[in-house]
Amino acid sequence: GEDVEQSLFLSVREGDSSVINCTYTDSSSTYLYWYKQEPGAGLQLLTYIFSNMDMKQDQRLTVLLNKKDKHLSLRIADTQTGDSAIYFCAESIGSTNAGKSTFGDGTTLTVKP
Amino acid sequence: GEEVAQTPKHLVRGEGQKAKLYCAPIKGHSYVFWYQQVLKNEFKFLISFQNENVFDETGMPKERFSAKCLPNSPCSLEIQATKLEDSAVYFCASSPSGMNNSPLHFGNGTRLTVT
């Protein structure tokens, strides 16, 4: 079956790097996603990585994928107070199932000034 | 529009009453998805549409839940005879295609409280 797990909380100081980790169990995952949810809002797609890649960088965001260990991480460089939110990891299988991803329970990131 | 619009923002229903939630996808997006977010942030996929046709309904509870996307109307999610455990935030998302690299655009959700 599919299962995506994340640690529930992370607290960092402004300016530090944040690393949010995620593990998944389905080895046939094709895409892995990171979403951000701010209070009272829906999910915002931050980035995604195809399973044949091991790294993707997009400005302050770096995604690392270890397919052997089924481990995904999101690093946010120079974390700002505006980065405080819940971050969800998600996986999907197959090429046409973007909407039917399996989500983790989210990591609440708190950035202290 | 350029945003997924969900109405109402909040909905309170007594147990046994009907609840109806609406979603206007982004213009030009042919896929619509409904998700249920319950306590502990768990996101549960409910149903997806390709235009007005059901694409995947494997997450929909067999009873009491129904959904439609009709031409020239907002999509809707209806819950008959609500139960306490239906209390959740219901999110709608739309996408230009059903491909995995086509981003989902989420609305801000409807918070349903069943008392």
mmCIF file of all heavy atoms in Angstrom, chain A residues 30-31 33 35 37 40-43 45 48 86 88 92-101 103-105 108, chain B residues 9 33 35 37 40-43 45 55-56 58 91 95 97-109:
data_model
loop_
_atom_site.group_PDB
_atom_site.id
_atom_site.type_symbol
_atom_site.label_atom_id
_atom_site.label_comp_id
_atom_site.label_asym_id
_atom_site.label_seq_id
_atom_site.Cartn_x
_atom_site.Cartn_y
_atom_site.Cartn_z
ATOM 1 N N THR A 30 6.161 7.855 -9.320
ATOM 2 C CA THR A 30 6.803 8.493 -10.463
ATOM 3 C C THR A 30 7.120 9.957 -10.197
ATOM 4 O O THR A 30 8.113 10.466 -10.657
ATOM 5 C CB THR A 30 5.921 8.389 -11.712
ATOM 6 O OG1 THR A 30 4.623 8.885 -11.397
ATOM 7 C CG2 THR A 30 5.828 6.957 -12.190
ATOM 8 N N TYR A 31 6.266 10.649 -9.481
ATOM 9 C CA TYR A 31 6.507 12.041 -9.142
ATOM 10 C C TYR A 31 6.357 12.219 -7.636
ATOM 11 O O TYR A 31 5.483 11.612 -7.015
ATOM 12 C CB TYR A 31 5.496 12.958 -9.848
ATOM 13 C CG TYR A 31 5.841 13.267 -11.280
ATOM 14 C CD1 TYR A 31 5.446 12.409 -12.294
ATOM 15 C CD2 TYR A 31 6.571 14.400 -11.622
ATOM 16 C CE1 TYR A 31 5.766 12.679 -13.618
ATOM 17 C CE2 TYR A 31 6.885 14.676 -12.945
ATOM 18 C CZ TYR A 31 6.483 13.810 -13.932
ATOM 19 O OH TYR A 31 6.804 14.069 -15.233
ATOM 20 N N TYR A 33 6.167 15.409 -4.703
ATOM 21 C CA TYR A 33 5.839 16.831 -4.662
ATOM 22 C C TYR A 33 6.070 17.402 -3.267
ATOM 23 O O TYR A 33 5.963 16.698 -2.261
ATOM 24 C CB TYR A 33 4.349 17.045 -4.984
ATOM 25 C CG TYR A 33 3.847 16.392 -6.245
ATOM 26 C CD1 TYR A 33 3.449 15.057 -6.255
ATOM 27 C CD2 TYR A 33 3.753 17.115 -7.419
ATOM 28 C CE1 TYR A 33 2.978 14.466 -7.406
ATOM 29 C CE2 TYR A 33 3.275 16.525 -8.584
ATOM 30 C CZ TYR A 33 2.886 15.212 -8.567
ATOM 31 O OH TYR A 33 2.408 14.612 -9.717
ATOM 32 N N TYR A 35 4.312 20.635 -1.189
ATOM 33 C CA TYR A 35 3.301 21.672 -1.157
ATOM 34 C C TYR A 35 3.458 22.482 0.133
ATOM 35 O O TYR A 35 3.893 21.970 1.145
ATOM 36 C CB TYR A 35 1.890 21.083 -1.146
ATOM 37 C CG TYR A 35 1.444 20.432 -2.429
ATOM 38 C CD1 TYR A 35 1.718 19.095 -2.689
ATOM 39 C CD2 TYR A 35 0.711 21.152 -3.369
ATOM 40 C CE1 TYR A 35 1.280 18.495 -3.859
ATOM 41 C CE2 TYR A 35 0.272 20.556 -4.541
ATOM 42 C CZ TYR A 35 0.558 19.218 -4.777
ATOM 43 O OH TYR A 35 0.125 18.629 -5.930
ATOM 44 N N GLN A 37 1.174 24.972 2.786
ATOM 45 C CA GLN A 37 -0.160 25.419 3.157
ATOM 46 C C GLN A 37 -0.043 26.487 4.231
ATOM 47 O O GLN A 37 0.434 26.225 5.336
ATOM 48 C CB GLN A 37 -1.026 24.267 3.661
ATOM 49 C CG GLN A 37 -2.472 24.699 3.939
ATOM 50 C CD GLN A 37 -3.344 23.574 4.456
ATOM 51 O OE1 GLN A 37 -2.885 22.634 5.099
ATOM 52 N NE2 GLN A 37 -4.641 23.653 4.164
ATOM 53 N N GLY A 40 -5.569 29.040 6.616
ATOM 54 C CA GLY A 40 -6.777 29.455 5.907
ATOM 55 C C GLY A 40 -6.696 29.344 4.399
ATOM 56 O O GLY A 40 -7.594 29.813 3.695
ATOM 57 N N ALA A 41 -5.662 28.726 3.893
ATOM 58 C CA ALA A 41 -5.492 28.642 2.442
ATOM 59 C C ALA A 41 -5.365 27.194 2.000
ATOM 60 O O ALA A 41 -5.205 26.283 2.811
ATOM 61 C CB ALA A 41 -4.252 29.431 2.014
ATOM 62 N N GLY A 42 -5.452 26.999 0.707
ATOM 63 C CA GLY A 42 -5.248 25.671 0.139
ATOM 64 C C GLY A 42 -3.775 25.380 -0.021
ATOM 65 O O GLY A 42 -2.917 26.108 0.487
ATOM 66 N N LEU A 43 -3.475 24.307 -0.712
ATOM 67 C CA LEU A 43 -2.083 23.918 -0.927
ATOM 68 C C LEU A 43 -1.502 24.671 -2.114
ATOM 69 O O LEU A 43 -2.153 24.846 -3.139
ATOM 70 C CB LEU A 43 -1.984 22.424 -1.204
ATOM 71 C CG LEU A 43 -2.436 21.485 -0.109
ATOM 72 C CD1 LEU A 43 -2.200 20.055 -0.523
ATOM 73 C CD2 LEU A 43 -1.728 21.778 1.183
ATOM 74 N N LEU A 45 1.634 24.399 -4.699
ATOM 75 C CA LEU A 45 2.731 23.540 -5.144
ATOM 76 C C LEU A 45 4.029 24.337 -5.155
ATOM 77 O O LEU A 45 4.128 25.368 -5.799
ATOM 78 C CB LEU A 45 2.441 22.986 -6.539
ATOM 79 C CG LEU A 45 3.537 22.105 -7.133
ATOM 80 C CD1 LEU A 45 3.687 20.822 -6.340
ATOM 81 C CD2 LEU A 45 3.256 21.807 -8.598
ATOM 82 N N TYR A 48 8.377 19.915 -7.599
ATOM 83 C CA TYR A 48 8.192 18.475 -7.714
ATOM 84 C C TYR A 48 9.422 17.882 -8.394
ATOM 85 O O TYR A 48 10.189 18.590 -9.039
ATOM 86 C CB TYR A 48 6.926 18.122 -8.495
ATOM 87 C CG TYR A 48 6.917 18.588 -9.939
ATOM 88 C CD1 TYR A 48 7.391 17.770 -10.954
ATOM 89 C CD2 TYR A 48 6.426 19.848 -10.271
ATOM 90 C CE1 TYR A 48 7.387 18.189 -12.269
ATOM 91 C CE2 TYR A 48 6.427 20.280 -11.581
ATOM 92 C CZ TYR A 48 6.901 19.446 -12.577
ATOM 93 O OH TYR A 48 6.887 19.863 -13.883
ATOM 94 N N ILE A 86 2.653 24.961 6.869
ATOM 95 C CA ILE A 86 2.704 23.495 6.901
ATOM 96 C C ILE A 86 3.172 23.021 5.528
ATOM 97 O O ILE A 86 2.653 23.482 4.502
ATOM 98 C CB ILE A 86 1.327 22.891 7.228
ATOM 99 C CG1 ILE A 86 0.812 23.436 8.559
ATOM 100 C CG2 ILE A 86 1.427 21.365 7.288
ATOM 101 C CD1 ILE A 86 -0.610 23.004 8.892
ATOM 102 N N PHE A 88 3.697 19.842 2.975
ATOM 103 C CA PHE A 88 3.236 18.485 2.697
ATOM 104 C C PHE A 88 4.083 17.865 1.599
ATOM 105 O O PHE A 88 4.335 18.466 0.559
ATOM 106 C CB PHE A 88 1.781 18.489 2.222
ATOM 107 C CG PHE A 88 0.790 18.822 3.289
ATOM 108 C CD1 PHE A 88 0.437 20.145 3.546
ATOM 109 C CD2 PHE A 88 0.207 17.827 4.044
ATOM 110 C CE1 PHE A 88 -0.483 20.456 4.534
ATOM 111 C CE2 PHE A 88 -0.722 18.121 5.030
ATOM 112 C CZ PHE A 88 -1.067 19.444 5.276
ATOM 113 N N SER A 92 2.816 10.459 -6.338
ATOM 114 C CA SER A 92 1.809 9.928 -7.243
ATOM 115 C C SER A 92 2.446 8.848 -8.093
ATOM 116 O O SER A 92 3.663 8.803 -8.245
ATOM 117 C CB SER A 92 1.213 11.019 -8.123
ATOM 118 O OG SER A 92 2.155 11.485 -9.032
ATOM 119 N N ILE A 93 1.595 8.006 -8.594
ATOM 120 C CA ILE A 93 2.060 6.846 -9.350
ATOM 121 C C ILE A 93 1.430 6.902 -10.730
ATOM 122 O O ILE A 93 0.243 7.205 -10.859
ATOM 123 C CB ILE A 93 1.652 5.548 -8.637
ATOM 124 C CG1 ILE A 93 2.306 5.509 -7.254
ATOM 125 C CG2 ILE A 93 2.052 4.324 -9.451
ATOM 126 C CD1 ILE A 93 1.665 4.525 -6.325
ATOM 127 N N GLY A 94 2.236 6.623 -11.763
ATOM 128 C CA GLY A 94 1.674 6.692 -13.102
ATOM 129 C C GLY A 94 1.762 8.104 -13.644
ATOM 130 O O GLY A 94 2.092 9.051 -12.940
ATOM 131 N N SER A 95 1.426 8.266 -14.893
ATOM 132 C CA SER A 95 1.650 9.553 -15.550
ATOM 133 C C SER A 95 0.439 10.477 -15.525
ATOM 134 O O SER A 95 0.549 11.662 -15.754
ATOM 135 C CB SER A 95 2.068 9.336 -16.996
ATOM 136 O OG SER A 95 1.026 8.641 -17.673
ATOM 137 N N THR A 96 -0.721 9.919 -15.207
ATOM 138 C CA THR A 96 -1.926 10.744 -15.319
ATOM 139 C C THR A 96 -2.704 10.795 -14.020
ATOM 140 O O THR A 96 -3.911 10.830 -14.021
ATOM 141 C CB THR A 96 -2.839 10.213 -16.437
ATOM 142 O OG1 THR A 96 -3.164 8.856 -16.147
ATOM 143 C CG2 THR A 96 -2.161 10.314 -17.784
ATOM 144 N N ASN A 97 -2.010 10.807 -12.911
ATOM 145 C CA ASN A 97 -2.711 10.767 -11.623
ATOM 146 C C ASN A 97 -2.350 11.928 -10.718
ATOM 147 O O ASN A 97 -2.400 11.799 -9.508
ATOM 148 C CB ASN A 97 -2.390 9.464 -10.895
ATOM 149 C CG ASN A 97 -3.268 8.336 -11.385
ATOM 150 O OD1 ASN A 97 -4.425 8.530 -11.686
ATOM 151 N ND2 ASN A 97 -2.695 7.156 -11.488
ATOM 152 N N ALA A 98 -1.976 13.061 -11.295
ATOM 153 C CA ALA A 98 -1.481 14.157 -10.459
ATOM 154 C C ALA A 98 -2.429 14.492 -9.332
ATOM 155 O O ALA A 98 -2.032 14.783 -8.228
ATOM 156 C CB ALA A 98 -1.233 15.395 -11.299
ATOM 157 N N GLY A 99 -3.715 14.467 -9.617
ATOM 158 C CA GLY A 99 -4.650 14.849 -8.586
ATOM 159 C C GLY A 99 -4.824 13.804 -7.519
ATOM 160 O O GLY A 99 -5.267 14.095 -6.424
ATOM 161 N N LYS A 100 -4.476 12.591 -7.821
ATOM 162 C CA LYS A 100 -4.707 11.531 -6.846
ATOM 163 C C LYS A 100 -3.397 11.149 -6.191
ATOM 164 O O LYS A 100 -2.982 10.010 -6.229
ATOM 165 C CB LYS A 100 -5.336 10.324 -7.535
ATOM 166 C CG LYS A 100 -5.951 9.343 -6.555
ATOM 167 C CD LYS A 100 -6.454 8.121 -7.272
ATOM 168 C CE LYS A 100 -6.883 7.081 -6.261
ATOM 169 N NZ LYS A 100 -7.292 5.835 -6.931
ATOM 170 N N SER A 101 -2.757 12.123 -5.618
ATOM 171 C CA SER A 101 -1.516 11.865 -4.908
ATOM 172 C C SER A 101 -1.838 11.390 -3.497
ATOM 173 O O SER A 101 -2.916 11.652 -2.973
ATOM 174 C CB SER A 101 -0.695 13.154 -4.816
ATOM 175 O OG SER A 101 -0.348 13.627 -6.095
ATOM 176 N N PHE A 103 -0.753 12.018 0.279
ATOM 177 C CA PHE A 103 -0.093 13.079 1.023
ATOM 178 C C PHE A 103 0.400 12.574 2.374
ATOM 179 O O PHE A 103 -0.244 11.735 3.009
ATOM 180 C CB PHE A 103 -1.075 14.234 1.275
ATOM 181 C CG PHE A 103 -1.387 15.047 0.048
ATOM 182 C CD1 PHE A 103 -2.331 14.621 -0.866
ATOM 183 C CD2 PHE A 103 -0.743 16.246 -0.185
ATOM 184 C CE1 PHE A 103 -2.619 15.361 -2.001
ATOM 185 C CE2 PHE A 103 -1.023 17.003 -1.313
ATOM 186 C CZ PHE A 103 -1.967 16.567 -2.213
ATOM 187 N N GLY A 104 1.499 13.140 2.835
ATOM 188 C CA GLY A 104 1.904 12.961 4.217
ATOM 189 C C GLY A 104 1.031 13.831 5.101
ATOM 190 O O GLY A 104 0.169 14.571 4.603
ATOM 191 N N ASP A 105 1.239 13.746 6.402
ATOM 192 C CA ASP A 105 0.419 14.512 7.340
ATOM 193 C C ASP A 105 0.899 15.941 7.537
ATOM 194 O O ASP A 105 0.315 16.688 8.318
ATOM 195 C CB ASP A 105 0.369 13.798 8.696
ATOM 196 C CG ASP A 105 -0.530 12.573 8.631
ATOM 197 O OD1 ASP A 105 -1.325 12.473 7.684
ATOM 198 O OD2 ASP A 105 -0.425 11.713 9.525
ATOM 199 N N THR A 108 4.807 21.099 10.268
ATOM 200 C CA THR A 108 4.595 22.511 10.605
ATOM 201 C C THR A 108 5.944 23.163 10.862
ATOM 202 O O THR A 108 6.646 22.800 11.807
ATOM 203 C CB THR A 108 3.698 22.641 11.841
ATOM 204 O OG1 THR A 108 2.424 22.053 11.570
ATOM 205 C CG2 THR A 108 3.492 24.116 12.193
ATOM 206 N N LYS B 9 -17.244 29.814 2.484
ATOM 207 C CA LYS B 9 -15.989 29.643 3.206
ATOM 208 C C LYS B 9 -16.220 28.759 4.436
ATOM 209 O O LYS B 9 -15.385 27.936 4.793
ATOM 210 C CB LYS B 9 -15.453 31.011 3.629
ATOM 211 C CG LYS B 9 -14.012 30.974 4.081
ATOM 212 C CD LYS B 9 -13.454 32.376 4.189
ATOM 213 C CE LYS B 9 -12.002 32.299 4.643
ATOM 214 N NZ LYS B 9 -11.365 33.613 4.682
ATOM 215 N N PHE B 33 -10.620 18.448 -8.912
ATOM 216 C CA PHE B 33 -10.402 17.437 -7.872
ATOM 217 C C PHE B 33 -11.023 17.930 -6.574
ATOM 218 O O PHE B 33 -10.972 19.118 -6.270
ATOM 219 C CB PHE B 33 -8.902 17.217 -7.637
ATOM 220 C CG PHE B 33 -8.116 16.915 -8.888
ATOM 221 C CD1 PHE B 33 -7.643 17.936 -9.699
ATOM 222 C CD2 PHE B 33 -7.829 15.608 -9.237
ATOM 223 C CE1 PHE B 33 -6.914 17.670 -10.845
ATOM 224 C CE2 PHE B 33 -7.092 15.328 -10.384
ATOM 225 C CZ PHE B 33 -6.637 16.357 -11.192
ATOM 226 N N TYR B 35 -10.818 17.227 -2.383
ATOM 227 C CA TYR B 35 -10.103 16.601 -1.287
ATOM 228 C C TYR B 35 -10.789 16.948 0.025
ATOM 229 O O TYR B 35 -11.378 18.015 0.178
ATOM 230 C CB TYR B 35 -8.656 17.108 -1.208
ATOM 231 C CG TYR B 35 -7.699 16.408 -2.114
ATOM 232 C CD1 TYR B 35 -7.487 16.862 -3.411
ATOM 233 C CD2 TYR B 35 -6.998 15.295 -1.683
ATOM 234 C CE1 TYR B 35 -6.599 16.215 -4.244
ATOM 235 C CE2 TYR B 35 -6.100 14.650 -2.505
ATOM 236 C CZ TYR B 35 -5.899 15.103 -3.777
ATOM 237 O OH TYR B 35 -5.031 14.465 -4.600
ATOM 238 N N GLN B 37 -9.861 17.404 4.052
ATOM 239 C CA GLN B 37 -8.788 17.494 5.040
ATOM 240 C C GLN B 37 -9.396 17.445 6.431
ATOM 241 O O GLN B 37 -10.141 18.330 6.839
ATOM 242 C CB GLN B 37 -7.975 18.785 4.870
ATOM 243 C CG GLN B 37 -6.751 18.837 5.791
ATOM 244 C CD GLN B 37 -5.939 20.118 5.645
ATOM 245 O OE1 GLN B 37 -6.474 21.173 5.343
ATOM 246 N NE2 GLN B 37 -4.628 20.008 5.845
ATOM 247 N N LYS B 40 -5.500 16.427 12.086
ATOM 248 C CA LYS B 40 -4.158 15.894 11.881
ATOM 249 C C LYS B 40 -3.710 16.123 10.434
ATOM 250 O O LYS B 40 -2.813 15.467 9.946
ATOM 251 C CB LYS B 40 -4.119 14.401 12.227
ATOM 252 C CG LYS B 40 -2.779 13.913 12.749
ATOM 253 C CD LYS B 40 -2.737 12.400 12.708
ATOM 254 C CE LYS B 40 -1.310 11.902 12.817
ATOM 255 N NZ LYS B 40 -1.201 10.489 12.523
ATOM 256 N N ASN B 41 -4.355 17.057 9.758
ATOM 257 C CA ASN B 41 -3.940 17.482 8.422
ATOM 258 C C ASN B 41 -4.055 16.437 7.332
ATOM 259 O O ASN B 41 -3.567 16.643 6.224
ATOM 260 C CB ASN B 41 -2.482 17.995 8.449
ATOM 261 C CG ASN B 41 -2.335 19.232 9.292
ATOM 262 O OD1 ASN B 41 -3.255 20.036 9.381
ATOM 263 N ND2 ASN B 41 -1.203 19.378 9.930
ATOM 264 N N GLU B 42 -4.673 15.315 7.623
ATOM 265 C CA GLU B 42 -4.743 14.261 6.619
ATOM 266 C C GLU B 42 -5.553 14.698 5.413
ATOM 267 O O GLU B 42 -6.684 15.145 5.541
ATOM 268 C CB GLU B 42 -5.382 13.022 7.248
ATOM 269 C CG GLU B 42 -5.539 11.858 6.292
ATOM 270 C CD GLU B 42 -6.406 10.756 6.889
ATOM 271 O OE1 GLU B 42 -6.540 10.719 8.120
ATOM 272 O OE2 GLU B 42 -6.951 9.962 6.117
ATOM 273 N N PHE B 43 -4.971 14.574 4.227
ATOM 274 C CA PHE B 43 -5.657 14.887 2.976
ATOM 275 C C PHE B 43 -6.168 13.608 2.348
ATOM 276 O O PHE B 43 -5.399 12.711 2.061
ATOM 277 C CB PHE B 43 -4.688 15.542 1.982
ATOM 278 C CG PHE B 43 -4.723 17.024 2.000
ATOM 279 C CD1 PHE B 43 -3.968 17.722 2.920
ATOM 280 C CD2 PHE B 43 -5.513 17.731 1.114
ATOM 281 C CE1 PHE B 43 -4.003 19.088 2.952
ATOM 282 C CE2 PHE B 43 -5.545 19.114 1.140
ATOM 283 C CZ PHE B 43 -4.787 19.795 2.056
ATOM 284 N N PHE B 45 -8.176 12.097 -0.910
ATOM 285 C CA PHE B 45 -8.736 12.307 -2.236
ATOM 286 C C PHE B 45 -10.160 11.768 -2.272
ATOM 287 O O PHE B 45 -10.436 10.662 -1.799
ATOM 288 C CB PHE B 45 -7.879 11.581 -3.276
ATOM 289 C CG PHE B 45 -8.493 11.493 -4.646
ATOM 290 C CD1 PHE B 45 -8.418 12.556 -5.518
ATOM 291 C CD2 PHE B 45 -9.145 10.343 -5.052
ATOM 292 C CE1 PHE B 45 -8.978 12.475 -6.786
ATOM 293 C CE2 PHE B 45 -9.716 10.246 -6.302
ATOM 294 C CZ PHE B 45 -9.630 11.319 -7.172
ATOM 295 N N PHE B 55 -13.762 11.311 -13.564
ATOM 296 C CA PHE B 55 -12.506 10.700 -14.001
ATOM 297 C C PHE B 55 -12.089 9.585 -13.054
ATOM 298 O O PHE B 55 -11.692 8.518 -13.472
ATOM 299 C CB PHE B 55 -11.420 11.777 -14.080
ATOM 300 C CG PHE B 55 -10.108 11.319 -14.641
ATOM 301 C CD1 PHE B 55 -9.980 11.044 -15.994
ATOM 302 C CD2 PHE B 55 -8.999 11.177 -13.825
ATOM 303 C CE1 PHE B 55 -8.771 10.617 -16.517
ATOM 304 C CE2 PHE B 55 -7.792 10.752 -14.344
ATOM 305 C CZ PHE B 55 -7.668 10.473 -15.686
ATOM 306 N N ASP B 56 -12.202 9.872 -11.764
ATOM 307 C CA ASP B 56 -11.803 8.905 -10.738
ATOM 308 C C ASP B 56 -12.632 9.176 -9.493
ATOM 309 O O ASP B 56 -12.589 10.270 -8.967
ATOM 310 C CB ASP B 56 -10.304 9.068 -10.438
ATOM 311 C CG ASP B 56 -9.770 8.035 -9.451
ATOM 312 O OD1 ASP B 56 -10.537 7.472 -8.660
ATOM 313 O OD2 ASP B 56 -8.547 7.809 -9.458
ATOM 314 N N THR B 58 -12.743 6.862 -6.847
ATOM 315 C CA THR B 58 -12.425 5.789 -5.911
ATOM 316 C C THR B 58 -12.342 6.250 -4.457
ATOM 317 O O THR B 58 -12.401 5.443 -3.555
ATOM 318 C CB THR B 58 -11.088 5.127 -6.289
ATOM 319 O OG1 THR B 58 -10.100 6.145 -6.456
ATOM 320 C CG2 THR B 58 -11.216 4.342 -7.578
ATOM 321 N N PHE B 91 -11.390 20.783 0.098
ATOM 322 C CA PHE B 91 -10.649 21.552 -0.880
ATOM 323 C C PHE B 91 -10.981 21.085 -2.287
ATOM 324 O O PHE B 91 -11.103 19.891 -2.554
ATOM 325 C CB PHE B 91 -9.132 21.412 -0.668
ATOM 326 C CG PHE B 91 -8.609 22.163 0.523
ATOM 327 C CD1 PHE B 91 -8.373 21.517 1.720
ATOM 328 C CD2 PHE B 91 -8.360 23.528 0.436
ATOM 329 C CE1 PHE B 91 -7.898 22.205 2.820
ATOM 330 C CE2 PHE B 91 -7.882 24.230 1.532
ATOM 331 C CZ PHE B 91 -7.650 23.571 2.726
ATOM 332 N N SER B 95 -6.755 21.716 -12.614
ATOM 333 C CA SER B 95 -5.505 21.519 -13.339
ATOM 334 C C SER B 95 -5.805 21.574 -14.825
ATOM 335 O O SER B 95 -6.862 21.122 -15.267
ATOM 336 C CB SER B 95 -4.918 20.159 -12.948
ATOM 337 O OG SER B 95 -3.824 19.830 -13.753
ATOM 338 N N SER B 97 -4.403 19.821 -17.082
ATOM 339 C CA SER B 97 -4.458 18.455 -17.605
ATOM 340 C C SER B 97 -4.318 17.493 -16.440
ATOM 341 O O SER B 97 -4.075 17.896 -15.316
ATOM 342 C CB SER B 97 -3.326 18.224 -18.610
ATOM 343 O OG SER B 97 -2.115 17.955 -17.923
ATOM 344 N N GLY B 98 -4.487 16.225 -16.685
ATOM 345 C CA GLY B 98 -4.371 15.233 -15.617
ATOM 346 C C GLY B 98 -2.971 14.691 -15.467
ATOM 347 O O GLY B 98 -2.744 13.755 -14.710
ATOM 348 N N MET B 99 -2.011 15.313 -16.156
ATOM 349 C CA MET B 99 -0.647 14.793 -16.114
ATOM 350 C C MET B 99 0.025 15.149 -14.797
ATOM 351 O O MET B 99 -0.267 16.179 -14.184
ATOM 352 C CB MET B 99 0.171 15.382 -17.274
ATOM 353 C CG MET B 99 -0.410 15.061 -18.637
ATOM 354 S SD MET B 99 -0.577 13.307 -18.929
ATOM 355 C CE MET B 99 1.143 12.833 -19.069
ATOM 356 N N ASN B 100 0.952 14.299 -14.364
ATOM 357 C CA ASN B 100 1.604 14.495 -13.079
ATOM 358 C C ASN B 100 2.448 15.755 -13.010
ATOM 359 O O ASN B 100 2.711 16.271 -11.934
ATOM 360 C CB ASN B 100 2.484 13.294 -12.747
ATOM 361 C CG ASN B 100 1.669 12.177 -12.149
ATOM 362 O OD1 ASN B 100 0.622 12.414 -11.577
ATOM 363 N ND2 ASN B 100 2.141 10.964 -12.282
ATOM 364 N N ASN B 101 2.915 16.255 -14.142
ATOM 365 C CA ASN B 101 3.722 17.474 -14.099
ATOM 366 C C ASN B 101 2.880 18.720 -14.346
ATOM 367 O O ASN B 101 3.411 19.797 -14.586
ATOM 368 C CB ASN B 101 4.866 17.385 -15.111
ATOM 369 C CG ASN B 101 4.358 17.208 -16.528
ATOM 370 O OD1 ASN B 101 3.156 17.058 -16.748
ATOM 371 N ND2 ASN B 101 5.258 17.206 -17.477
ATOM 372 N N SER B 102 1.576 18.557 -14.311
ATOM 373 C CA SER B 102 0.676 19.697 -14.469
ATOM 374 C C SER B 102 0.204 20.093 -13.078
ATOM 375 O O SER B 102 -0.460 19.317 -12.403
ATOM 376 C CB SER B 102 -0.507 19.286 -15.342
ATOM 377 O OG SER B 102 -1.405 20.353 -15.499
ATOM 378 N N PRO B 103 0.587 21.280 -12.603
ATOM 379 C CA PRO B 103 0.335 21.605 -11.195
ATOM 380 C C PRO B 103 -1.142 21.715 -10.867
ATOM 381 O O PRO B 103 -1.957 22.121 -11.681
ATOM 382 C CB PRO B 103 1.033 22.951 -11.012
ATOM 383 C CG PRO B 103 1.139 23.526 -12.376
ATOM 384 C CD PRO B 103 1.233 22.378 -13.328
ATOM 385 N N LEU B 104 -1.455 21.333 -9.643
ATOM 386 C CA LEU B 104 -2.788 21.522 -9.104
ATOM 387 C C LEU B 104 -2.873 22.927 -8.512
ATOM 388 O O LEU B 104 -1.974 23.369 -7.817
ATOM 389 C CB LEU B 104 -3.073 20.513 -7.989
ATOM 390 C CG LEU B 104 -3.168 19.046 -8.383
ATOM 391 C CD1 LEU B 104 -3.461 18.209 -7.147
ATOM 392 C CD2 LEU B 104 -4.236 18.840 -9.428
ATOM 393 N N HIS B 105 -3.965 23.601 -8.777
ATOM 394 C CA HIS B 105 -4.236 24.909 -8.187
ATOM 395 C C HIS B 105 -5.385 24.725 -7.204
ATOM 396 O O HIS B 105 -6.491 24.344 -7.597
ATOM 397 C CB HIS B 105 -4.618 25.920 -9.261
ATOM 398 C CG HIS B 105 -3.531 26.167 -10.255
ATOM 399 N ND1 HIS B 105 -2.726 27.290 -10.213
ATOM 400 C CD2 HIS B 105 -3.087 25.440 -11.299
ATOM 401 C CE1 HIS B 105 -1.849 27.232 -11.199
ATOM 402 N NE2 HIS B 105 -2.048 26.123 -11.876
ATOM 403 N N PHE B 106 -5.106 24.980 -5.945
ATOM 404 C CA PHE B 106 -6.098 24.741 -4.891
ATOM 405 C C PHE B 106 -6.891 26.002 -4.564
ATOM 406 O O PHE B 106 -6.351 27.119 -4.583
ATOM 407 C CB PHE B 106 -5.412 24.268 -3.609
ATOM 408 C CG PHE B 106 -5.065 22.809 -3.616
ATOM 409 C CD1 PHE B 106 -3.921 22.349 -4.251
ATOM 410 C CD2 PHE B 106 -5.882 21.888 -2.980
ATOM 411 C CE1 PHE B 106 -3.599 20.998 -4.256
ATOM 412 C CE2 PHE B 106 -5.563 20.532 -2.976
ATOM 413 C CZ PHE B 106 -4.430 20.095 -3.615
ATOM 414 N N GLY B 107 -8.160 25.787 -4.233
ATOM 415 C CA GLY B 107 -8.952 26.845 -3.626
ATOM 416 C C GLY B 107 -8.629 26.941 -2.147
ATOM 417 O O GLY B 107 -7.823 26.166 -1.621
ATOM 418 N N ASN B 108 -9.272 27.893 -1.466
ATOM 419 C CA ASN B 108 -9.004 28.101 -0.044
ATOM 420 C C ASN B 108 -9.841 27.212 0.860
ATOM 421 O O ASN B 108 -9.728 27.286 2.074
ATOM 422 C CB ASN B 108 -9.210 29.565 0.322
ATOM 423 C CG ASN B 108 -8.093 30.433 -0.226
ATOM 424 O OD1 ASN B 108 -6.995 29.961 -0.480
ATOM 425 N ND2 ASN B 108 -8.385 31.704 -0.441
ATOM 426 N N GLY B 109 -10.699 26.410 0.258
ATOM 427 C CA GLY B 109 -11.413 25.413 1.048
ATOM 428 C C GLY B 109 -12.729 25.913 1.619
ATOM 429 O O GLY B 109 -12.965 27.112 1.758
#
